[in-house]
Amino acid sequence: GWNQHGQLGNDVEGDRNVPVAVQGGLTFESLTAGAGHTCGVATDGTGYCWGFNFNGQLGDGSLTSRGVPVPISSGLSFLSLSAGGSLTCGVAMGGAGYCWGWNGEGQLGDGGTTDQTAPVLLDGGRTYTSISAANFHACGTTTANELFCWGRNSSGQLGDGTTVASGLPVQAMGGILFETVAAANQHTCGSDGSEAYCWGRAEFGQTGNGSVDRNVPALLNSLIFFPKVWAGGNFSCGLTDLGEAFCWGANELGQHGSVSPQTCTVSDQLGQIINQFGCAFTPVEVDTDLFFSTLAVGTHHACGIATNGGAYCWGGGAVGELGNGQSGETYLTVVPQRVSGQPAS
């Protein structure tokens, strides 16, 4: 994928359209990719980040971008990390929540708006099971399955019934017990382990429940149950219990993974048509006979690990983010294609 800031971690400039190894000899339990940086939790719990660092999102105490992994300067052991636009959040061992990087909209959840080059503790003293960081906001689920969000709220993406930004974590309304949450550009999705909910900006159908913005969690307009959901640029995806993949929202670059996308017309406040390409207000099944164990959703593409062990991607691939050896300004694929460099299943 894109490597302008060293976010591939291979210490060599230039985009790549096939996978390259991250340098440093580290073994990771998990990885998370943001807009221009990447982070991972090593097997010993140490957090590492690499790539763009203009706002301190690498958490190493500096503003220097890195082409190889550097440890997060906190002395903390992490259970998970989530890289957003220009910030990163994580759940430390024991469940304390931390964020660092850009804080201009209060998205670090510490009550301020000052950027931080090292982890700062989320306000409230809550114990988190997961945190998801987006461009301008972040959300986390607690051990009591309560959902809290913080940062920008212009489209209601915090789910607290308002459109007022908050530099402190605020609880989503509705009394829903969330097991997972996924924060995206200007919308958020989550699941209670069975049913999926989305809220925030909705003009492309990315909330799966119509084209009207919602400032509280709203059920998807679907009879399908999604115990796992992911949110991307202007689209979202989910997995059923069986591992069937569905996506909804914007589809201008094939991010639904369907050869027969729905088409919807989106107009501005004056009634002028601003979008008439493929998009969907309800979930569309990804066109494949594969079953997936997990997904990752980006700005204009999605990837998944199939139950056969293979990695597959679909959507826009301008800078090689599909990993199939193809790239180019207009390159896309509307059905999942296997990432290069893997043995045949």
Side-chain angles (χ1 to χ4, degrees):
W2 187 40
N3 197 34
Q4 182 177 351
H5 305 292
Q7 56 265 52
L8 299 191
N10 64 336
D11 204 25
V12 178
E13 292 184 358
D15 302 341
R16 296 290 187 271
N17 57 22
V18 295
V20 293
V22 175
Q23 299 300 300
L26 298 164
T27 304
F28 290 95
E29 291 281 0
S30 62
L31 296 172
T32 173
H37 73 295
T38 309
C39 298
V41 178
T43 50
D44 65 356
T46 302
Y48 292 84
C49 294
W50 54 97
F52 194 46
N53 198 31
F54 183 79
N55 299 100
Q57 55 264 52
L58 301 191
D60 68 340
S62 80
L63 295 174
T64 303
S65 297
R66 313 282 185 171
V68 295
V70 292
I72 296 167
S73 61
S74 62
L76 297 166
S77 293
F78 288 95
L79 296 172
S80 62
L81 294 171
S82 177
S86 295
L87 74 151
T88 309
C89 295
V91 178
M93 202 73 68
Y98 292 83
C99 293
W100 54 96
W102 186 39
N103 199 24
E105 310 243 4
Q107 58 266 58
L108 298 190
D110 64 344
T113 56
T114 302
D115 294 355
Q116 302 289 340
T117 61
V120 292
L121 187 65
L122 288 172
D123 184 81
R126 299 176 183 90
T127 303
Y128 289 89
T129 56
S130 68
I131 297 176
S132 178
N135 290 349
F136 308 107
H137 77 292
C139 296
T141 56
T142 71
T143 51
N145 296 115
E146 298 169 320
L147 177 65
F148 289 84
C149 297
W150 53 94
R152 181 185 287 185
N153 197 26
S154 55
S155 299
Q157 57 263 51
L158 301 190
D160 66 340
T162 77
T163 53
V164 179
S166 178
L168 299 173
V170 292
Q171 188 168 2
M173 294 183 66
I176 302 159
L177 298 179
F178 283 95
E179 291 190 4
T180 61
V181 66
N185 184 21
Q186 294 189 65
H187 75 289
T188 309
C189 294
S191 174
D192 62 5
S194 176
E195 295 182 305
Y197 301 77
C198 294
W199 57 97
R201 192 171 181 179
E203 84 272 42
F204 299 108
Q206 58 265 51
T207 60
N209 45 43
S211 60
V212 178
D213 293 357
R214 313 280 181 138
N215 58 18
V216 297
L219 269 173
L220 266 63
N221 185 18
S222 173
L223 298 177
I224 303 167
F225 291 99
F226 294 107
K228 299 177 183 178
V229 286
W230 291 262
N234 288 318
F235 76 111
S236 309
C237 296
L239 286 181
T240 68
D241 279 325
L242 294 177
E244 301 158 312
F246 289 75
C247 297
W248 55 93
N251 190 44
E252 74 275 28
L253 295 176
Q255 50 265 57
H256 289 176
S258 172
V259 297
S260 301
Q262 298 183 30
T263 300
C264 51
T265 299
V266 178
S267 302
D268 61 19
Q269 293 180 345
L270 299 177
Q272 303 292 319
I273 294 176
I274 58 175
N275 171 39
Q276 204 169 11
F277 47 69
C279 61
F281 296 144
T282 56
V284 175
E285 187 167 8
V286 174
D287 194 3
T288 179
D289 57 1
L290 296 167
F291 296 94
F292 293 92
S293 58
T294 190
L295 300 177
V297 177
T299 303
H300 297 111
H301 76 295
C303 297
I305 302 295
T307 53
N308 66 13
Y312 297 80
C313 296
W314 60 93
V319 291
E321 58 265 57
L322 302 186
N324 62 1
Q326 302 292 316
S327 57
E329 185 175 349
T330 61
Y331 179 72
L332 60 86
T333 176
V334 297
V335 293
Q337 291 194 1
R338 195 175 176 96
V339 173
S340 298
Q342 303 172 87
S345 59

